[in-house]
Amino acid sequence: MTVFLLRRLIQAAGVVLAMSLLVFLGVYAIGDPVEILISPEADQIERERAVKALGLDLPLWQQYLVFLGRALQGDLGRSFVFNEPALQLILQRMPATLELAFGATFVALLIGLPLGLYAGLRPKSPLSKGILAGSILGFSLPTFWVGLMLIMVFAVQLGWLPSTGRGETVEVLGMRWSFLTRDGLAHMVMPALNLSLFKISLVIRLTRAGVRETMLMDYVKFARAKGLSPSRVTFVHVFKNILIPVVTVVGLEFGGTIAFSVVTESVFAWPGMGKLIIDSINVLDRPVMVAYLMIIVLLFITINLVVDITYSVLDPRVRLEGKS
Amino acid sequence: MSSTTAGSVAPPRVETPFRRFASEFAESRLALFGLALFTLIALVAIFAPWIAPQNPYDLAQLDIMDGRLEPGSVGGADFTYWLGTDDQGRDMLSGIMYGLRISLLVGAGSAVIACLVGASLGMIAAYAGGRTDSLIMRLVDLQLSFPAILAALMILAFLGKGILNVVIALVVVEWAYYARTVRGSALVERRREYIEAAQCLALPTRRIIFRHLLPNCLPPLIVVATMQVARAIALEATLSFLGLGVPITEPSLGLLIANGYEYMLSGKYWISFYPGIALLVTIVSINLVGDQLRDVLNPRLKR
């Protein structure tokens, strides 16, 4: 187990290193680093001094080592626009994104589980077919367009919900959260629903497939033969067992949700990490871009690592396969 | 057979693999409908310059006074804007027809290139095995562990806007799906007798790969390619909506939708609404075809 862990950790470190090299090359080799790192208002003398100070006269591989050394100390440069450390800027926006992603996951389970359960228990009913068709639509609909339509219907036409922003926030544990206030929750409903659209379809499909398989199992037949009430069979015997794969997949999808919140945040002007990166790209605030990319890479590698390790704990075959 | 009753001797209908495939595909009305719909969309896109009521790029044809007109209103010069106009006084219907061109071009183009790159790499991985195989598959795993939208975003952040850059980003994002699919089926096919026979005949490796192995790996590849075209179109639209995709001079459907965003809050829905419908119909029609292809070409469901 320890060997497996070590191997995995070394692999993950290797990937981080490779990605940092890619990001470094992306910024330093494709674009002109002087333009990226030095403010455009600097004059010639300042420019030369900065080139020297930043080590841009060194060969590329040495520059990379310097970049790496700084990144390890958590120094990923300062934002041109906000004049703050890029890392700090992103970490400030992180709660908003996490809040939205958790909200979306919650909505997906809240809507997807009952619908999937119904479609699985009564596969022939017209409503089930409607649910299934709806889930296909959920995979096909362009998310950003649905977001716009939500704004149009619920904010512009009906005026029920606020269209953009985060609303009132409360500070807990040094971070600002929307979901604790009524106004914040009202602001969160549409973005969370929009972000969860794809996941709702996913949960419906998984739950439906799970229910249809589990209903044929011997223990379900036995529970019925014992004379247990249908609702007890459904909720205790069937539902509990299908929850495991559903929760696993939804958990795995969490990283994807954070990634896709880039789109939702832009539509609803939700001030999270995703909105920040889009704004930064549009004004070419490259230190923020680099910092965001590095954080996302780290985040995803951590998620994948945790998933791998969890699997190997649950299923020893995974570990053995790695050895042979 | 009804044709023989006409007197002439009709040649017996030989059941070729393609005919069997076609008749199996036609079993689903929904899939046929999807195919018809997609053909129609593709034709509209191809012939847009000849059938669109207006050339949205020709400034001489635009009348700024007709800006933001509602659908069905008649503008200057007795021109009826069936789907309304955008802020520049452009006819939305024509804009959508031209937008479809770019969306389909980017979607299909990136899918074809990604398919070529991915299928070749997958084939090499399966045929070579060993270190080459594990290196390529590591790359595939790495690629697939990042969400497509993020990877495309990273690439476009560095490359900048442009149709070619979007295609590059989509190819980088998509090739791994093809590589994995082809490797999977090639590994199975490789162990079959006909490959062994070809190797015994001392045919050159290139010939074995392209003439023997590849054709037998095609069915799953076709299914993946269909689905990926739909994905690519949706992804391009999303990127263009975020302002990272196609340039403003060549508006795809996504960019048209983005243009309508600011007018949405004042109730002028049509600038974003109709391009979105066009996008939705395109994606759904491709997915309908893809779903049926998957069922027909799946060997496990062979009747």
Side-chain angles (χ1 to χ4, degrees):
Chain A
M1 187 64 207
T2 327
V3 178
F4 173 80
L5 258 178
L6 266 176
R7 278 174 61 115
R8 266 283 176 264
L9 274 175
I10 291 168
Q11 269 178 17
V15 174
V16 173
L17 210 63
M19 292 306 285
S20 74
L21 186 63
L22 273 180
V23 171
F24 173 82
L25 285 178
V27 177
Y28 286 71
I30 296 176
D32 182 3
V34 179
E35 254 168 58
I36 295 160
L37 294 169
I38 300 165
S39 120
E41 284 102 54
D43 60 30
Q44 194 60 35
I45 304 160
E46 269 180 67
R47 208 167 250 257
E48 268 164 28
R49 198 185 311 139
V51 165
K52 204 136 207 134
L54 289 166
L56 292 174
D57 46 353
L58 298 172
L60 206 61
W61 64 271
Q62 276 186 2
Q63 286 187 42
Y64 173 62
L65 289 182
V66 171
F67 165 79
L68 210 59
R70 286 189 174 191
L72 282 177
Q73 293 163 17
D75 175 11
L76 291 163
R78 287 179 87 85
S79 160
F80 298 155
V81 179
F82 299 92
N83 198 24
E84 268 178 62
L87 195 64
Q88 189 190 327
L89 204 61
I90 292 167
L91 292 180
Q92 275 171 6
R93 311 283 174 115
M94 212 181 229
T97 299
L98 287 179
E99 180 176 63
L100 190 61
F102 276 117
T105 308
F106 178 71
V107 170
L109 291 175
L110 196 71
I111 299 178
L113 279 177
L115 291 183
L117 200 61
Y118 181 85
L121 289 173
R122 292 196 176 67
K124 293 253 154 51
S125 90
L127 186 60
S128 299
K129 286 187 179 147
I131 292 171
L132 205 62
S135 79
I136 293 173
L137 214 59
F139 283 125
S140 301
L141 283 168
T143 311
F144 65 96
W145 183 72
V146 177
L148 289 182
M149 293 302 116
L150 284 175
I151 291 181
M152 196 187 80
V153 173
F154 293 105
V156 179
Q157 307 274 348
L158 297 171
W160 289 354
L161 293 167
S163 61
T164 52
R166 229 185 138 184
E168 206 180 305
T169 54
V170 178
E171 196 167 309
V172 178
L173 300 170
M175 286 172 276
R176 309 212 131 264
W177 303 96
S178 289
F179 73 101
L180 295 168
T181 65
R182 252 186 88 95
D183 183 49
L185 264 184
H187 278 84
M188 218 173 117
V189 172
M190 281 201 292
L193 184 67
N194 187 224
L195 188 57
S196 69
L197 207 64
F198 179 82
K199 283 151 84 86
I200 293 176
S201 300
L202 193 70
V203 173
I204 288 180
R205 294 220 153 183
L206 283 171
T207 313
R208 179 177 166 274
V211 169
R212 295 194 66 184
E213 267 173 34
T214 320
M215 287 308 273
L216 303 172
M217 294 284 183
D218 284 343
Y219 66 83
V220 174
K221 282 183 195 155
F222 181 68
R224 279 217 201 118
K226 263 200 313 191
L228 294 180
S229 69
S231 66
R232 189 170 165 84
V233 174
T234 308
F235 288 102
V236 177
H237 295 255
V238 176
F239 194 62
K240 253 188 171 172
N241 279 290
I242 56 161
L243 269 185
I244 300 163
V246 170
V247 168
T248 312
V249 173
V250 169
L252 283 180
E253 269 288 304
F254 192 71
T257 310
I258 288 182
F260 221 82
S261 70
V262 168
V263 180
T264 303
E265 285 176 15
S266 299
V267 173
F268 293 94
W270 185 265
M273 285 161 36
K275 177 107 176 58
L276 178 71
I277 179 69
I278 296 295
D279 292 345
S280 302
I281 291 174
N282 283 330
V283 297
L284 283 180
D285 192 352
R286 304 227 194 177
V288 177
M289 283 158 60
V290 173
Y292 178 83
L293 295 184
M294 288 312 295
I295 287 179
I296 282 289
V297 166
L298 218 55
L299 189 73
F300 270 86
I301 286 166
T302 315
I303 291 178
N304 288 339
L305 192 69
V306 170
V307 169
D308 272 1
I309 292 172
T310 319
Y311 274 170
S312 78
V313 170
L314 295 176
D315 188 348
R317 277 174 301 179
V318 179
R319 248 177 297 162
L320 296 174
E321 202 178 294
K323 266 185 197 158
S324 63
Chain B
M1 214 178 271
S2 60
S3 56
T4 46
T5 56
S8 63
V9 184
R13 261 177 80 93
V14 188
E15 202 191 53
T16 61
F18 179 76
R19 276 199 190 136
R20 189 168 62 227
F21 162 75
S23 73
E24 272 180 20
F25 182 85
E27 271 170 24
S28 160
R29 292 254 182 97
L30 207 57
L32 275 185
F33 173 69
L35 188 64
L37 204 59
F38 180 71
T39 315
L40 185 72
I41 291 169
L43 287 177
V44 166
I46 292 166
F47 295 108
W50 293 278
I51 55 175
Q54 189 192 56
N55 180 356
Y57 301 132
D58 184 6
L59 292 176
Q61 287 186 33
L62 302 183
D63 188 351
I64 198 87
M65 298 299 283
D66 286 352
R68 301 194 285 280
L69 286 180
E70 281 191 39
S73 46
V74 182
D78 273 349
F79 190 89
T80 312
Y81 299 108
W82 293 110
L83 299 183
T85 60
D86 70 0
D87 50 334
Q88 314 264 335
R90 244 181 289 232
D91 175 34
M92 284 313 294
L93 181 64
S94 311
I96 289 171
M97 287 176 166
Y98 276 78
L100 267 176
R101 263 167 98 82
I102 293 166
S103 289
L104 285 184
L105 182 77
V106 171
S110 65
V112 168
I113 302 174
C115 185
L116 287 177
V117 174
S120 312
L121 283 173
M123 201 59 93
I124 292 169
Y127 204 83
R131 278 181 176 273
T132 322
D133 184 24
S134 63
L135 179 73
I136 292 176
M137 291 327 283
R138 265 287 133 72
L139 270 178
V140 168
D141 286 344
L142 187 66
Q143 181 70 61
L144 292 184
S145 66
F146 286 93
I149 179 95
L150 263 190
L153 206 75
M154 285 188 193
I155 296 163
L156 285 174
F158 291 137
L159 296 183
K161 284 185 199 182
I163 287 191
L164 190 65
N165 291 348
V166 175
V167 172
I168 293 174
L170 290 177
V171 169
V172 172
V173 167
E174 286 182 352
W175 71 273
Y177 289 95
Y178 297 98
R180 196 166 61 169
T181 310
V182 167
R183 176 179 173 269
S185 47
L187 276 183
V188 176
E189 294 296 327
R190 218 178 91 104
R191 293 197 208 102
R192 296 275 170 91
E193 282 93 347
Y194 68 88
I195 296 291
E196 210 177 313
Q199 281 167 340
C200 289
L201 288 172
L203 292 179
T205 313
R206 192 155 29 108
R207 194 177 155 88
I208 297 178
I209 290 182
F210 286 105
R211 299 296 294 272
H212 296 260
L213 199 53
L214 187 61
N216 286 291
C217 298
L218 275 182
L221 194 61
I222 292 170
V223 176
V224 172
T226 320
M227 298 299 201
Q228 290 298 321
V229 171
R231 257 175 60 102
I233 290 175
L235 196 55
E236 181 276 323
T238 307
L239 291 167
S240 296
F241 172 76
L242 292 175
L244 304 170
V246 296
I248 235 144
T249 47
E250 286 154 310
S252 66
L253 292 176
L255 200 59
L256 289 178
I257 295 171
N259 283 343
Y261 181 49
E262 49 184 308
Y263 302 107
M264 185 82 107
L265 295 176
S266 48
K268 297 186 172 54
Y269 68 92
W270 58 90
I271 308 178
S272 282
F273 181 71
Y274 291 114
I277 292 288
L279 185 64
L280 177 64
V281 171
T282 310
I283 296 173
V284 169
S285 71
I286 299 175
N287 279 343
L288 285 177
V289 174
D291 257 345
Q292 179 69 1
L293 279 180
R294 186 174 52 201
D295 288 351
V296 173
L297 295 175
N298 188 347
R300 261 182 287 172
L301 294 176
K302 267 278 168 329
R303 284 149 288 189

